[in-house]
């Protein structure tokens, strides 16, 4: 049975001191909550090791990215092995902001996924369409291509280690949210694409998270959909109470 997961993506927010405090707040809240999903916080590179020191095993830790090289003369980059050495066990890859602002391509992401898996990091691999693609009706094909181009070189055993996250890019930070039916349509489509390549069993066991302006007010309806297995949470993950409101929506 596939995992239910709520993962926070802090993006480029919080100082180290603020981040450690937020992690402590989430960790403490988890001790007193009825939780029916895995909970992960993905934090800036500077925060990984200090945050790992203040959380316990109920709270997973992830990086927000990793380099597409194993090591070497790449000033400012952080490798998958470096991220893993801090105690991180997850890494977000292919986020729409990385694609948009830093030109990440399918070829780049193939390398990142391979290096993450080599270092026992679980990739949370992001896919999703922009507003123009949603409105011109190409969104299903766009997402299918994003999966095929970056991930279909993996073996079935490798693919089974991934978590996917659907981002309706047009809903991130805009206040718009895909309806729960729109989310379900895309998540079911993603699962069918996986099944076409790797078979129904792997497709049925792949966790697919929703990553578009998920809040405590809409999380329950989204998570009730049969193919929505949780959320990749941006802004709401920066407040422990809001984040826990989503975690407890299962």
């Amino acid at each position: 049975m596939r995992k239910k997961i709520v993962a926070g993506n802090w993006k480029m927010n919080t100082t180290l001191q603020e981040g450690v405090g937020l992690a402590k707040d989430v960790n403490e809240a988890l001790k007193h909550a009825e939780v029916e999903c895995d909970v992960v916080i993905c934090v800036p590179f500077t925060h990984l090791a200090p945050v790992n020191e203040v959380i316990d095993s109920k709270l997973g830790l992830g990086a927000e990215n990793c380099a597409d090289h194993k090591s070497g003369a790449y000033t400012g980059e952080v490798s998958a092995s470096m991220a893993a050495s801090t105690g991180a066990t997850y890494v977000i890859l292919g986020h729409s902001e990385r694609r948009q602002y830093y030109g990440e391509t399918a070829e780049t992401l193939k390398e990142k996924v391979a290096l993450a898996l080599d270092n026992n990091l679980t990739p949370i691999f992001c896919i999703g369409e922009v507003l123009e693609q949603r409105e011109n009706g190409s969104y299903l094909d766009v997402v299918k291509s994003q999966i095929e181009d970056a991930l279909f070189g993996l073996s079935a055993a490798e693919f089974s280690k991934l978590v996917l996250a659907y981002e309706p890019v047009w809903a991130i930070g805009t206040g718009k949210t895909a309806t729960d039916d729109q989310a379900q349509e895309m998540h079911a489509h993603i699962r069918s694409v996986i099944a076409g390549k790797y078979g129904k069993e792997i497709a049925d066991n792949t966790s697919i998270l929703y990553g578009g302006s998920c809040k405590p007010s809409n999380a329950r309806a989204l998570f009730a959909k049969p193919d929505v297995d949780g959320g990749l949470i941006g802004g709401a993950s920066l407040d422990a109470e809001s984040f826990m409101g989503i975690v407890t929506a299962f």
Side-chain angles (χ1 to χ4, degrees):
M1 189 171 179
R2 60 184 179 263
K3 288 184 177 180
K4 306 293 187 183
I5 303 169
V6 173
N9 175 17
W10 290 5
K11 307 190 181 185
M12 196 176 72
N13 292 294
T14 74
T15 64
L16 175 57
Q17 293 76 17
E18 291 166 345
V20 168
L22 176 56
K24 286 180 177 178
D25 289 345
V26 173
N27 193 69
E28 187 63 25
L30 275 176
K31 293 178 182 177
H32 305 287
E34 294 276 337
V35 176
E36 297 184 21
C37 63
D38 288 359
V39 184
V40 181
I41 49 174
C42 296
V43 308
F45 288 129
T46 51
H47 298 18
L48 283 167
V51 164
N52 191 50
E53 292 293 319
V54 300
I55 61 175
D56 59 37
S57 59
K58 286 186 70 174
L59 182 55
L61 180 64
E64 298 178 15
N65 184 35
C66 71
D68 57 336
H69 298 280
K70 185 175 181 179
S71 62
Y74 302 102
T75 300
E77 290 295 285
V78 175
S79 70
S81 63
M82 292 161 70
S85 72
T86 69
T89 54
Y90 289 84
V91 60
I92 299 172
L93 296 176
H95 193 281
S96 59
E97 291 156 3
R98 299 294 313 175
R99 296 175 189 262
Q100 178 182 353
Y101 302 138
Y102 303 101
E104 291 194 356
T105 65
E107 291 304 311
T108 305
L109 293 170
K110 283 180 187 178
E111 297 298 326
K112 292 189 177 195
V113 169
L115 288 165
L117 292 174
D118 284 347
N119 287 279
N120 297 313
L121 293 171
T122 297
I124 301 175
F125 191 86
C126 302
I127 49 191
E129 82 281 8
V130 298
L131 184 60
E132 180 185 1
Q133 294 160 340
R134 166 61 58 167
E135 291 183 338
N136 69 20
S138 65
Y139 57 97
L140 295 176
D141 289 336
V142 166
V143 169
K144 182 172 187 267
S145 293
Q146 289 173 343
I147 297 169
E148 291 175 339
D149 294 348
L151 301 179
F152 275 10
L154 296 171
S155 69
E158 290 168 333
F159 190 92
S160 67
K161 297 176 182 177
L162 270 59
V163 173
L164 299 190
Y166 166 58
E167 304 180 279
V169 183
W170 46 273
I172 298 174
T174 63
K176 296 181 179 180
T177 307
T179 66
D180 46 348
D181 286 335
Q182 286 174 317
Q184 169 57 25
E185 177 196 29
M186 182 60 86
H187 283 233
H189 172 65
I190 292 166
R191 211 173 296 285
S192 72
V193 171
I194 298 167
K197 171 69 174 178
Y198 294 106
K200 186 175 185 299
E201 183 177 355
I202 286 179
D204 285 346
N205 284 303
T206 298
S207 298
I208 307 173
L209 314 183
Y210 174 76
S213 293
C214 185
K215 302 177 286 290
S217 58
N218 62 15
R220 192 174 299 276
L222 285 163
F223 296 170
K225 292 297 182 181
D227 288 293
V228 178
D229 302 314
L232 179 60
I233 314 302
S237 71
L238 296 172
D239 178 85
E241 185 177 352
S242 292
F243 187 56
M244 290 303 299
I246 297 170
V247 168
T248 55
F250 277 113

